[in-house]
Amino acid sequence: MSSIIYFIATGLRNQELQNIEFIKSDYKITRGIITKKSVTKGRHIRVEYKVGGKLYENSDGFNENDKVQEGDSVDIKYSISKPELMITEFNDEFNH
């Protein structure tokens, strides 16, 4: 059972890294609003943002030292060709 969980977690992490590389290859920066903050089973925020008049919502992680609250504005990088893919300024890969 632990092997199955490991392979699922590894696959999800690999997909996340591929998405980040895709975003970084062709992106724009905009502002979003944190709609939900969760510290259960990791630290995640849900962010709502608009691109071309269309509203998107996605999630990203944050670190223990990051000061984040629901309703805060946040910088995001989103993929120009797939705007549903984004990372926030709290993602370690945002400035790389």
Side-chain angles (χ1 to χ4, degrees):
M1 186 64 157
S2 62
S3 296
I4 293 170
I5 293 171
Y6 171 79
F7 285 115
I8 290 171
T10 302
L12 291 173
R13 179 64 180 150
N14 287 339
Q15 182 63 49
E16 179 184 4
L17 292 173
Q18 288 175 359
N19 286 344
I20 289 170
E21 289 306 313
F22 187 81
I23 292 165
K24 289 172 23 178
S25 70
D26 190 25
Y27 68 88
K28 285 191 176 182
I29 296 177
T30 191
R31 299 285 286 168
I33 301 291
I34 298 171
T35 59
K36 185 171 182 169
K37 174 183 170 183
S38 175
V39 293
T40 306
K41 296 183 182 180
R43 299 176 184 283
H44 293 86
I45 52 174
R46 292 214 47 90
V47 179
E48 197 172 83
Y49 57 101
K50 275 188 179 180
V51 175
K54 185 173 179 184
L55 191 62
Y56 294 91
E57 188 172 34
N58 208 334
S59 63
D60 199 10
F62 65 96
N63 296 314
E64 184 176 1
N65 296 331
D66 293 330
K67 306 288 188 224
V68 298
Q69 297 299 323
E70 290 179 15
D72 287 352
S73 295
V74 60
D75 283 335
I76 64 164
K77 282 184 182 179
Y78 67 90
S79 166
I80 293 171
S81 60
K82 291 185 176 182
E84 65 274 10
L85 298 179
M86 67 86 183
I87 58 175
T88 70
E89 65 187 79
F90 302 114
N91 191 304
D92 293 338
E93 295 295 321
F94 189 84
N95 291 315
H96 293 115

